[in-house]
PDB file of all heavy atoms in Angstrom:
ATOM      1  N   ILE A 225      70.606 193.844  51.436  1.00  0.00           N
ATOM      2  CA  ILE A 225      71.995 194.232  51.670  1.00  0.00           C
ATOM      3  C   ILE A 225      72.697 193.179  52.513  1.00  0.00           C
ATOM      4  O   ILE A 225      72.045 192.336  53.141  1.00  0.00           O
ATOM      5  CB  ILE A 225      72.099 195.613  52.357  1.00  0.00           C
ATOM      6  CG1 ILE A 225      71.491 195.563  53.757  1.00  0.00           C
ATOM      7  CG2 ILE A 225      71.459 196.695  51.519  1.00  0.00           C
ATOM      8  CD1 ILE A 225      71.755 196.811  54.571  1.00  0.00           C
ATOM      9  N   SER A 226      74.027 193.222  52.510  1.00  0.00           N
ATOM     10  CA  SER A 226      74.824 192.292  53.303  1.00  0.00           C
ATOM     11  C   SER A 226      76.017 193.048  53.881  1.00  0.00           C
ATOM     12  O   SER A 226      76.618 193.876  53.200  1.00  0.00           O
ATOM     13  CB  SER A 226      75.316 191.133  52.432  1.00  0.00           C
ATOM     14  OG  SER A 226      76.323 190.384  53.113  1.00  0.00           O
ATOM     15  N   PRO A 227      76.395 192.743  55.144  1.00  0.00           N
ATOM     16  CA  PRO A 227      77.545 193.426  55.746  1.00  0.00           C
ATOM     17  C   PRO A 227      78.885 192.843  55.297  1.00  0.00           C
ATOM     18  O   PRO A 227      79.940 193.391  55.621  1.00  0.00           O
ATOM     19  CB  PRO A 227      77.336 193.203  57.248  1.00  0.00           C
ATOM     20  CG  PRO A 227      76.583 191.919  57.329  1.00  0.00           C
ATOM     21  CD  PRO A 227      75.707 191.865  56.107  1.00  0.00           C
ATOM     22  N   GLN A 228      78.855 191.708  54.557  1.00  0.00           N
ATOM     23  CA  GLN A 228      80.109 191.083  54.127  1.00  0.00           C
ATOM     24  C   GLN A 228      80.726 191.913  53.006  1.00  0.00           C
ATOM     25  O   GLN A 228      80.113 192.113  51.954  1.00  0.00           O
ATOM     26  CB  GLN A 228      79.855 189.655  53.655  1.00  0.00           C
ATOM     27  CG  GLN A 228      81.130 188.885  53.342  1.00  0.00           C
ATOM     28  CD  GLN A 228      80.857 187.431  53.036  1.00  0.00           C
ATOM     29  OE1 GLN A 228      79.761 186.948  53.270  1.00  0.00           O
ATOM     30  NE2 GLN A 228      81.839 186.739  52.503  1.00  0.00           N
ATOM     31  N   PRO A 229      81.945 192.401  53.184  1.00  0.00           N
ATOM     32  CA  PRO A 229      82.515 193.329  52.201  1.00  0.00           C
ATOM     33  C   PRO A 229      83.050 192.640  50.954  1.00  0.00           C
ATOM     34  O   PRO A 229      83.351 191.454  50.950  1.00  0.00           O
ATOM     35  CB  PRO A 229      83.650 193.997  52.984  1.00  0.00           C
ATOM     36  CG  PRO A 229      84.081 192.969  53.980  1.00  0.00           C
ATOM     37  CD  PRO A 229      82.836 192.212  54.340  1.00  0.00           C
ATOM     38  N   ILE A 230      83.165 193.427  49.893  1.00  0.00           N
ATOM     39  CA  ILE A 230      83.878 193.034  48.676  1.00  0.00           C
ATOM     40  C   ILE A 230      85.206 193.784  48.684  1.00  0.00           C
ATOM     41  O   ILE A 230      85.231 195.005  48.860  1.00  0.00           O
ATOM     42  CB  ILE A 230      83.079 193.387  47.408  1.00  0.00           C
ATOM     43  CG1 ILE A 230      81.738 192.662  47.398  1.00  0.00           C
ATOM     44  CG2 ILE A 230      83.879 193.068  46.154  1.00  0.00           C
ATOM     45  CD1 ILE A 230      80.838 193.068  46.241  1.00  0.00           C
ATOM     46  N   ASN A 231      86.296 193.069  48.514  1.00  0.00           N
ATOM     47  CA  ASN A 231      87.618 193.703  48.492  1.00  0.00           C
ATOM     48  C   ASN A 231      88.107 193.807  47.054  1.00  0.00           C
ATOM     49  O   ASN A 231      88.272 192.792  46.370  1.00  0.00           O
ATOM     50  CB  ASN A 231      88.617 192.892  49.325  1.00  0.00           C
ATOM     51  CG  ASN A 231      88.360 193.009  50.814  1.00  0.00           C
ATOM     52  OD1 ASN A 231      87.338 192.554  51.313  1.00  0.00           O
ATOM     53  ND2 ASN A 231      89.275 193.628  51.526  1.00  0.00           N
ATOM     54  N   LEU A 232      88.328 195.037  46.607  1.00  0.00           N
ATOM     55  CA  LEU A 232      88.779 195.292  45.243  1.00  0.00           C
ATOM     56  C   LEU A 232      90.042 196.130  45.270  1.00  0.00           C
ATOM     57  O   LEU A 232      90.079 197.187  45.911  1.00  0.00           O
ATOM     58  CB  LEU A 232      87.679 196.010  44.453  1.00  0.00           C
ATOM     59  CG  LEU A 232      88.066 196.549  43.070  1.00  0.00           C
ATOM     60  CD1 LEU A 232      88.465 195.398  42.134  1.00  0.00           C
ATOM     61  CD2 LEU A 232      86.921 197.374  42.479  1.00  0.00           C
ATOM     62  N   ARG A 233      91.078 195.683  44.564  1.00  0.00           N
ATOM     63  CA  ARG A 233      92.304 196.464  44.395  1.00  0.00           C
ATOM     64  C   ARG A 233      92.358 196.969  42.962  1.00  0.00           C
ATOM     65  O   ARG A 233      92.094 196.215  42.021  1.00  0.00           O
ATOM     66  CB  ARG A 233      93.541 195.608  44.648  1.00  0.00           C
ATOM     67  CG  ARG A 233      93.739 195.142  46.055  1.00  0.00           C
ATOM     68  CD  ARG A 233      94.962 194.250  46.070  1.00  0.00           C
ATOM     69  NE  ARG A 233      95.238 193.709  47.390  1.00  0.00           N
ATOM     70  CZ  ARG A 233      96.136 192.754  47.624  1.00  0.00           C
ATOM     71  NH1 ARG A 233      96.830 192.246  46.620  1.00  0.00           N
ATOM     72  NH2 ARG A 233      96.348 192.311  48.841  1.00  0.00           N
ATOM     73  N   ILE A 234      92.728 198.219  42.819  1.00  0.00           N
ATOM     74  CA  ILE A 234      92.929 198.784  41.482  1.00  0.00           C
ATOM     75  C   ILE A 234      94.361 199.309  41.398  1.00  0.00           C
ATOM     76  O   ILE A 234      94.768 200.162  42.195  1.00  0.00           O
ATOM     77  CB  ILE A 234      91.911 199.896  41.177  1.00  0.00           C
ATOM     78  CG1 ILE A 234      90.504 199.292  41.072  1.00  0.00           C
ATOM     79  CG2 ILE A 234      92.284 200.642  39.905  1.00  0.00           C
ATOM     80  CD1 ILE A 234      89.410 200.279  40.780  1.00  0.00           C
ATOM     81  N   PHE A 235      95.099 198.759  40.456  1.00  0.00           N
ATOM     82  CA  PHE A 235      96.485 199.173  40.229  1.00  0.00           C
ATOM     83  C   PHE A 235      96.501 200.116  39.026  1.00  0.00           C
ATOM     84  O   PHE A 235      95.984 199.769  37.952  1.00  0.00           O
ATOM     85  CB  PHE A 235      97.364 197.955  39.944  1.00  0.00           C
ATOM     86  CG  PHE A 235      97.428 196.969  41.071  1.00  0.00           C
ATOM     87  CD1 PHE A 235      96.434 196.018  41.252  1.00  0.00           C
ATOM     88  CD2 PHE A 235      98.493 196.982  41.963  1.00  0.00           C
ATOM     89  CE1 PHE A 235      96.493 195.106  42.289  1.00  0.00           C
ATOM     90  CE2 PHE A 235      98.565 196.072  43.012  1.00  0.00           C
ATOM     91  CZ  PHE A 235      97.559 195.132  43.180  1.00  0.00           C
ATOM     92  N   SER A 236      97.091 201.297  39.193  1.00  0.00           N
ATOM     93  CA  SER A 236      97.087 202.274  38.102  1.00  0.00           C
ATOM     94  C   SER A 236      98.149 203.338  38.343  1.00  0.00           C
ATOM     95  O   SER A 236      98.389 203.717  39.498  1.00  0.00           O
ATOM     96  CB  SER A 236      95.703 202.935  37.995  1.00  0.00           C
ATOM     97  OG  SER A 236      95.733 204.026  37.110  1.00  0.00           O
ATOM     98  N   PRO A 237      98.761 203.835  37.275  1.00  0.00           N
ATOM     99  CA  PRO A 237      99.683 204.974  37.431  1.00  0.00           C
ATOM    100  C   PRO A 237      98.940 206.293  37.622  1.00  0.00           C
ATOM    101  O   PRO A 237      99.562 207.316  37.922  1.00  0.00           O
ATOM    102  CB  PRO A 237     100.475 204.959  36.116  1.00  0.00           C
ATOM    103  CG  PRO A 237      99.549 204.327  35.132  1.00  0.00           C
ATOM    104  CD  PRO A 237      98.738 203.321  35.896  1.00  0.00           C
ATOM    105  N   ASN A 238      97.620 206.257  37.474  1.00  0.00           N
ATOM    106  CA  ASN A 238      96.819 207.487  37.518  1.00  0.00           C
ATOM    107  C   ASN A 238      96.106 207.698  38.851  1.00  0.00           C
ATOM    108  O   ASN A 238      95.275 208.590  38.965  1.00  0.00           O
ATOM    109  CB  ASN A 238      95.777 207.463  36.384  1.00  0.00           C
ATOM    110  CG  ASN A 238      96.420 207.269  35.035  1.00  0.00           C
ATOM    111  OD1 ASN A 238      97.452 207.888  34.733  1.00  0.00           O
ATOM    112  ND2 ASN A 238      95.827 206.409  34.202  1.00  0.00           N
ATOM    113  N   VAL A 239      96.394 206.844  39.844  1.00  0.00           N
ATOM    114  CA  VAL A 239      95.751 207.003  41.153  1.00  0.00           C
ATOM    115  C   VAL A 239      96.813 207.230  42.216  1.00  0.00           C
ATOM    116  O   VAL A 239      97.977 206.840  42.054  1.00  0.00           O
ATOM    117  CB  VAL A 239      94.905 205.761  41.532  1.00  0.00           C
ATOM    118  CG1 VAL A 239      93.786 205.549  40.541  1.00  0.00           C
ATOM    119  CG2 VAL A 239      95.772 204.517  41.662  1.00  0.00           C
ATOM    120  N   LEU A 240      96.383 207.858  43.304  1.00  0.00           N
ATOM    121  CA  LEU A 240      97.225 207.939  44.490  1.00  0.00           C
ATOM    122  C   LEU A 240      96.914 206.728  45.365  1.00  0.00           C
ATOM    123  O   LEU A 240      95.760 206.273  45.420  1.00  0.00           O
ATOM    124  CB  LEU A 240      96.943 209.226  45.262  1.00  0.00           C
ATOM    125  CG  LEU A 240      97.373 210.531  44.591  1.00  0.00           C
ATOM    126  CD1 LEU A 240      96.886 211.719  45.407  1.00  0.00           C
ATOM    127  CD2 LEU A 240      98.888 210.585  44.440  1.00  0.00           C
ATOM    128  N   THR A 241      97.940 206.212  46.033  1.00  0.00           N
ATOM    129  CA  THR A 241      97.704 205.070  46.925  1.00  0.00           C
ATOM    130  C   THR A 241      96.741 205.491  48.028  1.00  0.00           C
ATOM    131  O   THR A 241      97.001 206.436  48.776  1.00  0.00           O
ATOM    132  CB  THR A 241      99.028 204.581  47.525  1.00  0.00           C
ATOM    133  OG1 THR A 241      99.882 204.178  46.451  1.00  0.00           O
ATOM    134  CG2 THR A 241      98.798 203.404  48.451  1.00  0.00           C
ATOM    135  N   LEU A 242      95.615 204.787  48.089  1.00  0.00           N
ATOM    136  CA  LEU A 242      94.523 205.228  48.956  1.00  0.00           C
ATOM    137  C   LEU A 242      93.602 204.047  49.218  1.00  0.00           C
ATOM    138  O   LEU A 242      93.475 203.148  48.396  1.00  0.00           O
ATOM    139  CB  LEU A 242      93.754 206.354  48.244  1.00  0.00           C
ATOM    140  CG  LEU A 242      92.787 207.225  49.037  1.00  0.00           C
ATOM    141  CD1 LEU A 242      93.513 207.956  50.147  1.00  0.00           C
ATOM    142  CD2 LEU A 242      92.119 208.223  48.099  1.00  0.00           C
ATOM    143  N   THR A 243      92.966 204.023  50.385  1.00  0.00           N
ATOM    144  CA  THR A 243      91.983 202.982  50.700  1.00  0.00           C
ATOM    145  C   THR A 243      90.668 203.636  51.107  1.00  0.00           C
ATOM    146  O   THR A 243      90.641 204.484  52.005  1.00  0.00           O
ATOM    147  CB  THR A 243      92.467 202.067  51.835  1.00  0.00           C
ATOM    148  OG1 THR A 243      93.704 201.467  51.456  1.00  0.00           O
ATOM    149  CG2 THR A 243      91.456 200.968  52.122  1.00  0.00           C
ATOM    150  N   LEU A 244      89.599 203.259  50.430  1.00  0.00           N
ATOM    151  CA  LEU A 244      88.268 203.810  50.692  1.00  0.00           C
ATOM    152  C   LEU A 244      87.290 202.669  50.928  1.00  0.00           C
ATOM    153  O   LEU A 244      87.413 201.599  50.311  1.00  0.00           O
ATOM    154  CB  LEU A 244      87.786 204.646  49.502  1.00  0.00           C
ATOM    155  CG  LEU A 244      88.668 205.832  49.085  1.00  0.00           C
ATOM    156  CD1 LEU A 244      88.401 206.204  47.648  1.00  0.00           C
ATOM    157  CD2 LEU A 244      88.413 207.024  49.991  1.00  0.00           C
ATOM    158  N   VAL A 245      86.327 202.896  51.806  1.00  0.00           N
ATOM    159  CA  VAL A 245      85.260 201.921  52.025  1.00  0.00           C
ATOM    160  C   VAL A 245      83.952 202.558  51.576  1.00  0.00           C
ATOM    161  O   VAL A 245      83.447 203.498  52.199  1.00  0.00           O
ATOM    162  CB  VAL A 245      85.159 201.502  53.507  1.00  0.00           C
ATOM    163  CG1 VAL A 245      84.056 200.459  53.680  1.00  0.00           C
ATOM    164  CG2 VAL A 245      86.481 200.953  54.005  1.00  0.00           C
ATOM    165  N   ASP A 246      83.417 202.071  50.465  1.00  0.00           N
ATOM    166  CA  ASP A 246      82.161 202.601  49.934  1.00  0.00           C
ATOM    167  C   ASP A 246      81.003 201.851  50.578  1.00  0.00           C
ATOM    168  O   ASP A 246      80.919 200.623  50.488  1.00  0.00           O
ATOM    169  CB  ASP A 246      82.139 202.437  48.411  1.00  0.00           C
ATOM    170  CG  ASP A 246      80.890 203.055  47.794  1.00  0.00           C
ATOM    171  OD1 ASP A 246      80.316 203.974  48.425  1.00  0.00           O
ATOM    172  OD2 ASP A 246      80.490 202.619  46.696  1.00  0.00           O
ATOM    173  N   LEU A 247      80.119 202.594  51.227  1.00  0.00           N
ATOM    174  CA  LEU A 247      78.992 201.989  51.944  1.00  0.00           C
ATOM    175  C   LEU A 247      77.683 202.265  51.209  1.00  0.00           C
ATOM    176  O   LEU A 247      77.581 203.250  50.456  1.00  0.00           O
ATOM    177  CB  LEU A 247      78.921 202.539  53.368  1.00  0.00           C
ATOM    178  CG  LEU A 247      80.133 202.193  54.244  1.00  0.00           C
ATOM    179  CD1 LEU A 247      80.121 202.998  55.534  1.00  0.00           C
ATOM    180  CD2 LEU A 247      80.164 200.701  54.557  1.00  0.00           C
ATOM    181  N   PRO A 248      76.652 201.427  51.424  1.00  0.00           N
ATOM    182  CA  PRO A 248      75.365 201.651  50.747  1.00  0.00           C
ATOM    183  C   PRO A 248      74.817 203.045  51.020  1.00  0.00           C
ATOM    184  O   PRO A 248      74.987 203.596  52.110  1.00  0.00           O
ATOM    185  CB  PRO A 248      74.458 200.570  51.349  1.00  0.00           C
ATOM    186  CG  PRO A 248      75.395 199.496  51.783  1.00  0.00           C
ATOM    187  CD  PRO A 248      76.634 200.206  52.238  1.00  0.00           C
ATOM    188  N   GLY A 249      74.158 203.604  50.003  1.00  0.00           N
ATOM    189  CA  GLY A 249      73.568 204.935  50.162  1.00  0.00           C
ATOM    190  C   GLY A 249      72.366 204.902  51.084  1.00  0.00           C
ATOM    191  O   GLY A 249      71.599 203.939  51.108  1.00  0.00           O
ATOM    192  N   LEU A 250      72.222 205.974  51.847  1.00  0.00           N
ATOM    193  CA  LEU A 250      71.107 206.066  52.794  1.00  0.00           C
ATOM    194  C   LEU A 250      69.784 206.199  52.048  1.00  0.00           C
ATOM    195  O   LEU A 250      69.668 206.944  51.079  1.00  0.00           O
ATOM    196  CB  LEU A 250      71.313 207.272  53.718  1.00  0.00           C
ATOM    197  CG  LEU A 250      72.466 207.122  54.723  1.00  0.00           C
ATOM    198  CD1 LEU A 250      72.957 208.479  55.179  1.00  0.00           C
ATOM    199  CD2 LEU A 250      72.020 206.290  55.898  1.00  0.00           C
ATOM    200  N   THR A 251      68.795 205.444  52.509  1.00  0.00           N
ATOM    201  CA  THR A 251      67.459 205.505  51.928  1.00  0.00           C
ATOM    202  C   THR A 251      66.441 205.565  53.048  1.00  0.00           C
ATOM    203  O   THR A 251      66.741 205.214  54.192  1.00  0.00           O
ATOM    204  CB  THR A 251      67.190 204.284  51.029  1.00  0.00           C
ATOM    205  OG1 THR A 251      65.921 204.430  50.402  1.00  0.00           O
ATOM    206  CG2 THR A 251      67.204 203.000  51.850  1.00  0.00           C
ATOM    207  N   LYS A 252      65.245 206.000  52.745  1.00  0.00           N
ATOM    208  CA  LYS A 252      64.216 206.141  53.785  1.00  0.00           C
ATOM    209  C   LYS A 252      63.008 205.253  53.534  1.00  0.00           C
ATOM    210  O   LYS A 252      62.378 204.784  54.472  1.00  0.00           O
ATOM    211  CB  LYS A 252      63.771 207.608  53.877  1.00  0.00           C
ATOM    212  CG  LYS A 252      64.884 208.547  54.344  1.00  0.00           C
ATOM    213  CD  LYS A 252      64.346 209.953  54.573  1.00  0.00           C
ATOM    214  CE  LYS A 252      65.467 210.890  55.006  1.00  0.00           C
ATOM    215  NZ  LYS A 252      66.093 210.476  56.275  1.00  0.00           N
ATOM    216  N   VAL A 253      62.649 205.024  52.254  1.00  0.00           N
ATOM    217  CA  VAL A 253      61.427 204.287  51.943  1.00  0.00           C
ATOM    218  C   VAL A 253      61.780 203.019  51.171  1.00  0.00           C
ATOM    219  O   VAL A 253      62.491 203.086  50.159  1.00  0.00           O
ATOM    220  CB  VAL A 253      60.462 205.150  51.094  1.00  0.00           C
ATOM    221  CG1 VAL A 253      59.183 204.372  50.791  1.00  0.00           C
ATOM    222  CG2 VAL A 253      60.149 206.450  51.814  1.00  0.00           C
ATOM    223  N   PRO A 254      61.339 201.834  51.643  1.00  0.00           N
ATOM    224  CA  PRO A 254      61.594 200.592  50.908  1.00  0.00           C
ATOM    225  C   PRO A 254      60.938 200.640  49.532  1.00  0.00           C
ATOM    226  O   PRO A 254      59.811 201.119  49.374  1.00  0.00           O
ATOM    227  CB  PRO A 254      60.956 199.518  51.787  1.00  0.00           C
ATOM    228  CG  PRO A 254      60.765 200.148  53.127  1.00  0.00           C
ATOM    229  CD  PRO A 254      60.576 201.603  52.878  1.00  0.00           C
ATOM    230  N   VAL A 255      61.644 200.138  48.516  1.00  0.00           N
ATOM    231  CA  VAL A 255      61.127 200.131  47.150  1.00  0.00           C
ATOM    232  C   VAL A 255      61.127 198.695  46.643  1.00  0.00           C
ATOM    233  O   VAL A 255      62.096 197.961  46.848  1.00  0.00           O
ATOM    234  CB  VAL A 255      61.993 201.027  46.233  1.00  0.00           C
ATOM    235  CG1 VAL A 255      61.496 200.957  44.801  1.00  0.00           C
ATOM    236  CG2 VAL A 255      61.999 202.455  46.737  1.00  0.00           C
ATOM    237  N   GLY A 256      60.041 198.317  45.962  1.00  0.00           N
ATOM    238  CA  GLY A 256      59.980 196.992  45.367  1.00  0.00           C
ATOM    239  C   GLY A 256      60.080 195.896  46.406  1.00  0.00           C
ATOM    240  O   GLY A 256      59.319 195.843  47.379  1.00  0.00           O
ATOM    241  N   ASP A 257      61.059 194.987  46.204  1.00  0.00           N
ATOM    242  CA  ASP A 257      61.233 193.835  47.095  1.00  0.00           C
ATOM    243  C   ASP A 257      62.158 194.117  48.266  1.00  0.00           C
ATOM    244  O   ASP A 257      62.562 193.189  48.981  1.00  0.00           O
ATOM    245  CB  ASP A 257      61.797 192.649  46.308  1.00  0.00           C
ATOM    246  CG  ASP A 257      60.809 192.121  45.281  1.00  0.00           C
ATOM    247  OD1 ASP A 257      59.592 192.296  45.514  1.00  0.00           O
ATOM    248  OD2 ASP A 257      61.251 191.567  44.262  1.00  0.00           O
ATOM    249  N   GLN A 258      62.503 195.383  48.469  1.00  0.00           N
ATOM    250  CA  GLN A 258      63.417 195.693  49.572  1.00  0.00           C
ATOM    251  C   GLN A 258      62.774 195.350  50.921  1.00  0.00           C
ATOM    252  O   GLN A 258      61.561 195.491  51.086  1.00  0.00           O
ATOM    253  CB  GLN A 258      63.776 197.181  49.562  1.00  0.00           C
ATOM    254  CG  GLN A 258      64.678 197.585  48.421  1.00  0.00           C
ATOM    255  CD  GLN A 258      64.980 199.073  48.441  1.00  0.00           C
ATOM    256  OE1 GLN A 258      64.424 199.824  49.249  1.00  0.00           O
ATOM    257  NE2 GLN A 258      65.858 199.503  47.550  1.00  0.00           N
ATOM    258  N   PRO A 259      63.575 194.891  51.877  1.00  0.00           N
ATOM    259  CA  PRO A 259      63.028 194.608  53.213  1.00  0.00           C
ATOM    260  C   PRO A 259      62.397 195.859  53.822  1.00  0.00           C
ATOM    261  O   PRO A 259      62.832 196.988  53.554  1.00  0.00           O
ATOM    262  CB  PRO A 259      64.266 194.172  54.011  1.00  0.00           C
ATOM    263  CG  PRO A 259      65.273 193.759  52.986  1.00  0.00           C
ATOM    264  CD  PRO A 259      65.018 194.593  51.780  1.00  0.00           C
ATOM    265  N   LYS A 260      61.388 195.639  54.660  1.00  0.00           N
ATOM    266  CA  LYS A 260      60.684 196.772  55.268  1.00  0.00           C
ATOM    267  C   LYS A 260      61.598 197.606  56.164  1.00  0.00           C
ATOM    268  O   LYS A 260      61.398 198.803  56.328  1.00  0.00           O
ATOM    269  CB  LYS A 260      59.482 196.268  56.080  1.00  0.00           C
ATOM    270  CG  LYS A 260      58.443 195.530  55.261  1.00  0.00           C
ATOM    271  CD  LYS A 260      57.854 196.401  54.160  1.00  0.00           C
ATOM    272  CE  LYS A 260      56.788 195.645  53.360  1.00  0.00           C
ATOM    273  NZ  LYS A 260      56.283 196.453  52.232  1.00  0.00           N
TER     274      LYS A 260
END
């Protein structure tokens, strides 16, 4: 994972003007090559 954000704007007549920050989902056990 990285703390550097990705900034995405979506323009649409079907959305309300809103700003959300989506963060990585919480996990408990490392899988595969994930850091310990």
Side-chain angles (χ1 to χ4, degrees):
I225 65 171
S226 167
Q228 187 173 348
I230 299 174
N231 288 66
L232 171 63
R233 293 177 181 170
I234 293 180
F235 298 82
S236 170
N238 304 317
V239 298
L240 291 174
T241 300
L242 195 61
T243 302
L244 302 158
V245 181
D246 184 25
L247 296 169
L250 290 157
T251 184
K252 295 187 181 299
V253 181
V255 177
D257 293 333
Q258 289 179 354
K260 299 300 181 184

